[in-house]
Amino acid sequence: MHYHWAKLYLQSYVLRGLPDTGAVIPEHFLENASAAVQAAIAIINLLLDDKDAQLAIGYVPHHIHGMVAFAAMFLLKIATKYSEQLFVDLFRFQQLIGGLAHHFKAIDV
């Protein structure tokens, strides 16, 4: 998970400084933005698909929860601002975020 977190954090820097409305990701940053999206998806998929991670998430240090929250918020930002430009599957994003929310509701922390 730390590998994906580092990749997400570094690659997401290409989106900083873009205007809040009407922003277009410059062409030379599209590969980095796509890599950040894939890293965020990988973080969430790890929690949704790995039984050991699902059981352990209630007992991990809080910075791990921060990583997961950052990945989820990043995907929400991409879905609302850049979905056409990055050709993201909004239904898949909805499934990921919904599955993550359902999982966190079900665990005792």
Side-chain angles (χ1 to χ4, degrees):
M1 182 180 293
H2 285 83
Y3 167 77
H4 296 299
W5 161 248
K7 192 172 180 181
L8 168 60
Y9 188 73
L10 291 174
Q11 301 287 358
S12 68
Y13 263 89
V14 300
L15 301 177
R16 293 195 180 199
L18 294 178
D20 286 337
T21 57
V24 174
I25 302 170
E27 177 127 359
H28 55 279
F29 287 146
L30 286 176
E31 186 176 338
N32 299 92
S34 292
V37 168
Q38 294 307 313
I41 290 171
I43 290 170
I44 294 174
N45 275 335
L46 179 72
L47 280 176
L48 296 179
D49 297 339
D50 187 336
K51 295 295 181 195
D52 291 332
Q54 290 175 0
L55 294 173
I57 195 66
Y59 306 101
V60 297
H62 294 297
H63 75 275
I64 301 291
H65 296 160
M67 286 184 206
V68 175
F70 183 83
M73 287 302 298
F74 180 78
L75 289 181
L76 289 171
K77 181 178 180 179
I78 291 298
T80 58
K81 292 186 176 185
Y82 309 110
S83 61
E84 293 95 20
Q85 195 174 7
L86 293 175
F87 304 107
V88 297
D89 182 0
L90 294 178
F91 180 72
R92 177 69 180 135
F93 277 21
Q94 183 181 11
Q95 286 180 319
L96 286 171
I97 301 298
L100 187 64
H102 178 70
H103 177 67
F104 274 111
K105 282 183 191 178
I107 61 172
D108 291 328
V109 179

